[in-house]
Amino acid sequence: VDPVAAKAINAFMILHLDHEQNASTSTVRIAGSSQANPYACIAAGVASLWGPAHGGANEAVIKMLEEIGTKDAVAQFVADVKAKKHGVRLMGFGHRVYKNYDPRARYMKKLVEEVLTGMGVEDPLLDVAQELERIALADDYFVSRKLYPNVDYYSGIMLRALGIPTSMFTVMFAMSRTVGWVCQWNEMVSEKQLRIGRPRQLYAGVGVREYKPAQADAALDKPRLSRAGSAHFAPGPGDFTKEQTQKEAFAERGKRSSS
């Protein structure tokens, strides 16, 4: 096993093991609060992690960098982000917890350089990523909004260098985060104060509404009568038309005559 690759995978796993009450971890705890078995709880966590805003974030970063293409196109991309151009989003920046540079991202940035150098891999996306970070962190638009690189920004480039397909990025994340999920579930169950989760919902709609009785549709309430006095309905899906009725009557007469 290449020691550079082994160090990179170990670091990736450690950095992604657990991280407060994020979306997937909270999902695992909510599922576990109903006393669902741990396998079902982990499956719930995987479902939450799969979203591009969570476990698929580093995959989204790779897609963004590929769309930018080259270092020369970074400045225009940043301008489009600031102008809120439709379909243009800055991925891998910002975090709900960290309002400065994510410490995990700082280590990941250093690690990705070590991996590419140690394995002799040249990835043009690293140049694009570094140029985008340089321009963004020098722009007050992003700094004032506390938008700094997060752990997902460089991790995708590192996984690519290790030969891991982009479609497997979230799987790698789930392999690591499962340890955290199980620890969270075990902690919750072992406290012996397990109560089913019930997030509070505050109604913010209309305070008072005036009741208005619905107008009865006479055509629907009273079926139209045919000359024979029986209720008549227009043929629809599943109804017998006149032709179908005649065919059935003909078939029935045939049975009687043969008997």
Side-chain angles (χ1 to χ4, degrees), residues 29-38 41 185 188-189 194-196:
R29 293 186 72 107
I30 287 290
S33 73
S34 71
Q35 300 182 27
N37 71 63
C41 297
W185 177 87
M188 179 176 63
V189 172
L194 185 61
R195 298 180 62 185
I196 190 167

Side-chain angles (χ1 to χ4, degrees), residues 60-94:
V61 170
I62 293 296
K63 182 179 179 181
M64 174 192 71
L65 296 174
E66 288 177 338
E67 290 176 350
I68 295 173
T70 64
K71 291 173 59 176
D72 297 336
V74 171
Q76 182 58 53
F77 174 80
V78 171
D80 291 341
V81 170
K82 294 167 65 176
K84 295 180 172 59
K85 184 177 178 180
H86 179 70
V88 178
R89 288 191 61 191
L90 178 63
M91 305 302 297
F93 276 67

Side-chain angles (χ1 to χ4, degrees), residues 141-217:
Y141 178 90
F142 301 100
V143 175
S144 63
R145 290 169 171 76
K146 311 296 183 183
L147 295 176
Y148 297 90
N150 57 43
V151 70
D152 301 306
Y153 188 66
Y154 284 106
S155 64
I157 298 175
M158 187 194 74
L159 293 176
R160 272 165 52 108
L162 296 174
I164 297 173
T166 306
S167 60
M168 292 292 289
F169 285 4
T170 309
V171 177
M172 295 295 294
F173 195 160
M175 288 172 60
S176 170
R177 188 54 61 86
T178 297
V179 177
W181 290 337
V182 172
C183 289
Q184 294 267 354
W185 177 87
N186 188 57
E187 176 189 67
M188 179 176 63
V189 172
S190 63
E191 287 179 343
K192 298 180 180 179
Q193 296 180 350
L194 185 61
R195 298 180 62 185
I196 190 167
R198 178 75 177 186
R200 188 181 181 190
Q201 180 174 333
L202 299 178
Y203 177 72
V206 179
V208 178
R209 289 180 177 175
E210 181 181 352
Y211 173 71
K212 296 181 180 180
Q215 297 296 323
D217 189 336

